[in-house]
Amino acid sequence: MTSSIAEDFNSISEVNHFADSARELLRSVSPLSRLRAMRDRTPRFEKSVWQSLAAAGWTSILAPEASGGLGLDLRYACAVAEQVGRHPLPEPFLAAAIQSVALLSALPESAQRTNLLSGCISGDLVVGTAWQERAGQLEAGEALGTRAVQTVGGYEVHGEKHWVVPGAGADGWLVSANDGATPLLLWIPASRAGLEAHDLRRVDGSSCASLSLKRIQVGSSDLLACGEQALAALDRSLDVARVAQAAELLGIARAAFDMTLEYLRTRVQFGRPIGANQSLQHRMVDGYVQIELAAAALQESLSLAQGDSRQLAAAAGRAKARCLRAALHVTREGVQMHGAIGFTDEYDLGLYLKRALHHAAWLGSESAMRHRHHMNFDVESLDATQAVPRPQAAHGLGQDLHAMADADFRATVRSFLQANYPEALRHPSHRLHWHECKDWYLTLSRQGWLAPAWPREHGGMGLGGEKLLAFIEEMEDWGVARLPDQGIINLGPVLLRFGTPEQQQAYLPKILSGEHIWCQGYSEPNAGSDLAALRTEAVLHGDRFIVNGQKIWTTLAQDATHIFALVRTDKAIRKQEGISFLLVDLSSPGVSVRPIRNIAGEEEFCEVFFDEVSVPRSNLVGELNGGWAIAKALLGFERIFVGSPKTPQNALTLLRKVAQARGLFGTDIFMARYVQLELDVADLKANYSRFADLVKRGVDLPPSVSVLKIWASETYTAITRFMFETCEEPGAIMGNADIGGRTVNVTAPLMNAMITTIYAGSNEIQRNILAKAVLQLPV
């Protein structure tokens, strides 16, 4: 184990240990019955429990070691926060242990700052932050009407603060104000004369307060920071809290989901578990998809949150928006699927719904967080037309790609694309035929870049997980068209895993050279997603198979030279056990291909007919009647490929260019929807990277890979629909239309998006797979 890998492993282990300890502590000190009891009290938490949390290290996670804290990063805070989401706690963990401690930790050294931070760490003080003055405020400096008039020895403070958490029970607050020209951050104890705290009960039973500040006298020693330093520290602490808030929301979603899943498995109506109802199964799968996206978004946001203030703000906006959507979706659906009992106060599900609603209205709504992400995210980095530095050796020739730093590797790929990829093929609106992309295919072949995931000994690039994703992302960002790639993405991995050395030597080099172009022969009439029902038959006579039957929906078969097909080789045994995987030359006598024109007017799919076609037995891959295992492995490869962010990313790029041409980025209505789609693609990328890492490590893809196919195709569909709407009248032009001086084919992506939810197993089939194989809902 290398040192970096060992460090990562140890870090993950420590974070998990922190989470385990938090879970056990929550179970012992704060059962859900306590949450109900505390909501009718004032204050709505207990100092004794708070000190127990402090003794466990919760209040010192983000405090510097030099100040007596643990000096840990946000991952540890989020590990605890997620457990708080699963086991809701009345104590103000996010506000007092995360937000206020993060704020104090960012302030300059002073005696008062040291005392306050020490009190927070020990649990002797519960400190809140009073910064907000108007509804919807996201930044500390947006509304700063609280005045601090300088006096002899200090300040006199006047103003109001709203939605202050914690409210009743806090020992004091870190209060933002201004002296007429300069922002200030002051410490005001709860007992200070002239301070009135009006307690407000939140929907989840927790409290917040409105603070009325009337001629409050504050000593000069209570001034903690001023100027931009005060505002920067405040804003950073708010974003730190939002990231932790996202983790708590993820915990809420997971707890509510598990509760609903158990109910569906055990609640019986009309003699069977209600979880056997396909409609309910699919709704549960949609909740599962939301949770998986939220987990991936949070994980990626945590890695970005270590950067500067803009990166943290973008990460916080993205993480909270996605996790909030997941929590609200799962809790609301949970109430519906529980029926009337889910609407009762005595049933625990409502506690999670109300906690999610509290977070939805505190520190920024979902739409506000999406906008915050967009405003702080470097959108220009998505525009692949920008110039990039060229590496010293042109296009990476003569360099070891594996030894390159990631930034240099990306620059090498981008430089190669700038120099070699045809401008006319960027972000194409339709699937390219062989004659349109042959030259680019051969360019990649000559460069040795055609098969980035294949081992180098077989002519591939042999890229590891990080560089493989970087390679794919650079291709996506540049708008590189999809090639006739069934040989590369499907057959190649199958032959590497199941093929003989002779088959590998015979076929792999010819895929790379472009001599063989492959298509996939799976679907048949009346056997689309139900592959076990296929009827194309291959009867063995001596050393040859005689094949008869028909395949349909075969992509670009008219351009292919060969087809890999599932064929029935034994009708007397179980359906799945009588299937074999066979390689067929399409120039063989008895093969005929008929293109099918789709609703977009294109001929992307074909029917392929086999009439007494003779195929050598040596073309059998794997064992006779062993094709089902190969088919399942190939479907895993296919589902991660069709779940790639490439197609929706290309569509989003086209949408962005259309919007720029029409001047829509200044309109609130367009921006709200665009930013949501932008984050949908970002979270797809994050989830895709998790499965790509499994591929990199040679791990079999689990059934949960179906999440990618569902989200990629439905996001692509949503983008193309919105682009059609955005274009208005020109959007219905058949073929190319002039959109603000830009030539765009709008209808082709719109039509093509419809098939993405059908091929490679319809999204309904994918939901069935997830419901049964992952969620284990009853049949």
Side-chain angles (χ1 to χ4, degrees):
M1 190 181 290
T2 66
S3 60
S4 61
I5 294 174
E7 289 169 5
D8 288 344
F9 178 82
N10 290 335
S11 178
I12 293 170
S13 178
E14 289 174 3
V15 172
N16 290 339
H17 177 70
F18 225 77
D20 292 340
S21 298
R23 181 174 60 252
E24 294 307 313
L25 179 60
L26 285 165
R27 285 174 174 170
S28 65
V29 304
S30 190
L32 289 179
S33 58
R34 177 173 174 268
L35 190 68
R36 288 188 174 88
M38 294 302 300
R39 63 191 179 186
D40 294 322
R41 300 182 188 178
T42 301
R44 295 188 173 90
F45 66 92
E46 296 176 288
K47 281 288 187 73
S48 59
V49 174
W50 185 254
Q51 290 183 328
S52 296
L53 304 181
W58 289 23
T59 55
S60 56
I61 296 171
L62 298 181
E65 288 185 86
S67 300
L70 295 176
L72 300 173
D73 59 41
L74 257 175
R75 292 174 302 160
Y76 293 85
C78 286
V80 174
E82 184 178 339
Q83 294 305 316
V84 171
R86 288 178 178 267
H87 309 277
L89 179 75
E91 280 64 33
F93 170 69
L94 283 178
I98 300 301
Q99 181 184 349
S100 294
V101 171
L103 175 54
L104 286 167
S105 300
L107 297 179
E109 291 282 354
S110 70
Q112 186 64 283
R113 180 258 194 187
T114 299
N115 291 335
L116 291 172
L117 195 52
S118 176
C120 288
I121 291 170
S122 67
D124 293 331
L125 290 179
V126 177
V127 174
T129 304
W131 64 280
Q132 194 170 1
E133 298 187 8
R134 65 170 179 81
Q137 183 180 348
L138 297 178
E139 309 280 354
E142 284 178 13
L144 205 53
T146 299
R147 293 295 305 277
V149 180
Q150 195 159 14
T151 63
V152 176
Y155 297 88
E156 185 177 87
V157 182
H158 309 260
E160 292 185 350
K161 296 293 183 181
H162 300 288
W163 303 287
V164 179
V165 183
D171 294 298
W173 295 274
L174 307 170
V175 181
S176 61
N178 76 87
D179 66 358
T182 305
L184 308 174
L185 185 65
L186 305 164
W187 163 245
I188 301 180
S191 59
R192 188 64 52 89
L195 188 153
E196 295 180 7
H198 306 282
D199 188 67
L200 300 169
R201 175 170 157 170
R202 303 287 286 174
V203 66
D204 65 333
S206 63
S207 69
C208 70
S210 289
L211 302 185
S212 177
L213 310 167
K214 298 178 181 178
R215 303 188 67 177
I216 295 179
Q217 302 301 312
V218 177
S220 59
S221 62
D222 291 323
L223 174 63
L224 298 171
C226 60
E228 286 302 314
Q229 186 178 45
L231 290 182
L234 264 170
D235 286 335
R236 185 169 185 86
S237 72
L238 291 171
D239 284 323
V240 166
R242 288 172 182 129
V243 176
Q245 194 177 36
E248 182 172 335
L249 285 161
L250 178 59
I252 290 169
R254 283 177 163 157
F257 185 86
D258 290 346
M259 189 183 301
T260 305
L261 186 61
E262 181 63 20
Y263 185 79
L264 293 186
R265 288 171 176 167
T266 56
R267 177 75 167 97
V268 175
Q269 284 186 338
F270 307 110
R272 61 198 299 243
I274 62 173
N277 181 293
Q278 188 179 69
S279 174
L280 297 183
Q281 290 182 351
H282 286 191
R283 291 170 75 167
M284 285 298 291
V285 166
D286 288 342
Y288 174 75
V289 170
Q290 287 296 324
I291 288 173
E292 289 297 291
L293 291 168
L298 177 59
Q299 182 179 5
E300 191 163 277
S301 295
L302 281 170
S303 66
L304 298 173
Q306 309 304 319
D308 60 24
S309 59
R310 287 197 66 186
Q311 287 177 308
L312 174 60
R318 173 184 172 187
K320 183 179 177 184
R322 173 60 67 189
C323 292
L324 177 55
R325 188 198 290 194
L328 290 176
H329 176 92
V330 170
T331 53
R332 287 167 175 164
E333 285 288 286
V335 169
Q336 174 69 26
M337 285 188 271
H338 275 85
I341 193 174
F343 196 67
T344 62
D345 182 62
E346 67 186 67
Y347 199 71
D348 291 341
L349 185 62
L351 299 176
Y352 293 97
L353 169 63
K354 289 187 283 188
R355 182 58 70 99
L357 291 172
H358 156 65
H359 286 303
W362 180 47
L363 299 182
S365 66
E366 180 185 345
S367 58
M369 288 296 97
R370 286 198 299 263
H371 183 70
R372 182 170 177 76
H373 169 270
H374 180 80
M375 294 304 294
N376 288 281
F377 186 66
D378 185 8
V379 180
E380 294 303 316
S381 68
L382 295 176
D383 186 357
T385 62
Q386 63 183 314
V388 294
R390 291 180 179 271
Q392 293 180 352
H395 318 318
L397 293 175
Q399 298 186 76
D400 183 359
L401 297 176
H402 300 77
M404 281 185 180
D406 287 348
D408 292 337
F409 176 77
R410 284 182 179 274
T412 296
V413 175
R414 185 75 62 87
S415 178
F416 178 78
L417 294 174
Q418 283 181 320
N420 292 279
Y421 190 71
E423 182 67 25
L425 298 185
R426 292 185 67 185
H427 303 291
S429 59
H430 66 282
R431 183 74 183 270
L432 299 185
H433 287 275
W434 176 240
H435 71 275
E436 297 174 284
C437 60
K438 176 181 178 180
D439 289 345
W440 171 240
Y441 188 107
L442 297 179
T443 297
L444 285 176
S445 175
R446 288 190 294 271
Q447 180 72 2
W449 286 11
L450 193 59
W454 288 16
R456 284 191 277 185
E457 60 267 27
H458 288 286
M461 297 175 73
L463 296 181
E466 291 298 322
K467 284 192 168 61
L468 177 60
L469 285 174
F471 185 83
I472 293 170
E473 286 171 0
E474 291 300 325
M475 292 284 184
E476 290 168 356
D477 289 345
W478 195 259
V480 174
R482 181 179 175 183
L483 294 168
D485 52 14
Q486 290 289 346
I488 300 166
I489 65 170
N490 281 336
L491 182 60
V494 163
L495 291 178
L496 289 169
R497 181 171 174 181
F498 298 99
T500 64
E502 293 75 20
Q503 289 171 334
Q504 294 169 358
Q505 293 167 12
Y507 293 109
L508 295 179
K510 292 182 179 179
I511 293 172
L512 295 176
S513 69
E515 184 178 345
H516 287 178
I517 302 298
W518 289 83
C519 60
Q520 175 180 288
Y522 272 26
S523 295
E524 297 183 7
N526 301 316
S529 296
D530 183 11
L531 289 177
L534 65 86
R535 293 183 293 179
T536 295
E537 188 177 25
V539 178
L540 188 59
H541 291 284
D543 62 351
R544 303 189 76 82
F545 289 99
I546 304 300
V547 182
N548 287 281
Q550 175 188 357
K551 297 293 179 180
I552 197 169
W553 315 126
T554 310
T555 303
L556 298 181
Q558 69 271 57
D559 294 341
T561 60
H562 292 72
I563 185 172
F564 54 90
L566 292 179
V567 294
R568 185 158 301 285
T569 46
D570 193 330
K571 295 188 287 187
I573 57 179
R574 183 171 171 264
K575 289 193 301 181
Q576 288 89 341
E577 295 173 357
I579 294 173
S580 297
F581 192 96
L582 199 61
L583 310 178
V584 182
D585 187 334
L586 288 176
S587 66
S588 303
V591 177
S592 57
V593 176
R594 185 183 77 83
I596 301 171
R597 186 174 294 274
N598 63 27
I599 59 175
E602 300 167 1
E603 294 182 345
E604 182 177 348
F605 305 109
C606 297
E607 292 178 284
V608 181
F609 300 91
F610 303 91
D611 182 11
E612 296 292 308
V613 178
S614 177
V615 179
R617 178 169 181 153
S618 59
N619 285 22
L620 174 70
V621 179
E623 299 294 326
L624 184 67
N625 298 328
W628 188 249
I630 299 176
K632 289 195 295 183
L634 192 149
L635 283 172
F637 301 143
E638 185 174 39
R639 282 171 187 151
I640 192 172
F641 183 81
V642 298
S644 163
K646 180 174 184 176
T647 302
Q649 178 65 66
N650 284 344
L652 188 70
T653 300
L654 186 58
L655 171 61
R656 184 167 68 248
K657 291 180 177 179
V658 166
Q660 288 168 341
R662 299 205 62 210
L664 296 177
F665 275 105
T667 62
D668 291 342
I669 294 176
F670 173 83
M671 281 301 299
R673 182 71 178 121
Y674 175 82
V675 172
Q676 180 176 337
L677 293 169
E678 181 181 66
L679 283 178
D680 287 346
V681 174
D683 295 339
L684 170 64
K685 287 183 175 181
N687 217 342
Y688 181 81
S689 69
R690 300 164 81 187
F691 288 100
D693 185 62
L694 297 179
V695 173
K696 174 198 73 172
R697 292 189 280 116
V699 177
D700 288 342
L701 288 169
S704 55
V705 72
S706 292
V707 167
L708 291 181
K709 201 271 181 177
I710 292 171
W711 193 248
S713 59
E714 293 181 2
T715 299
Y716 177 46
T717 300
I719 294 170
T720 59
R721 287 176 179 172
F722 187 51
M723 184 164 61
F724 177 79
E725 178 185 338
T726 297
C727 290
E728 297 182 317
E729 287 85 356
I733 298 294
M734 190 66 179
N736 291 332
D738 182 273
I739 311 290
R742 181 180 292 275
T743 301
V744 180
N745 188 324
V746 180
T747 56
L750 179 70
M751 299 295 184
N752 289 333
M754 297 180 186
I755 194 62
T756 63
T757 58
I758 299 172
Y759 65 52
S762 71
N763 284 11
E764 289 73 21
I765 294 296
Q766 305 302 328
R767 286 180 166 88
N768 288 346
I769 291 169
L770 290 168
K772 293 177 175 59
V774 178
L775 305 185
Q776 298 181 341
L777 284 164
V779 178

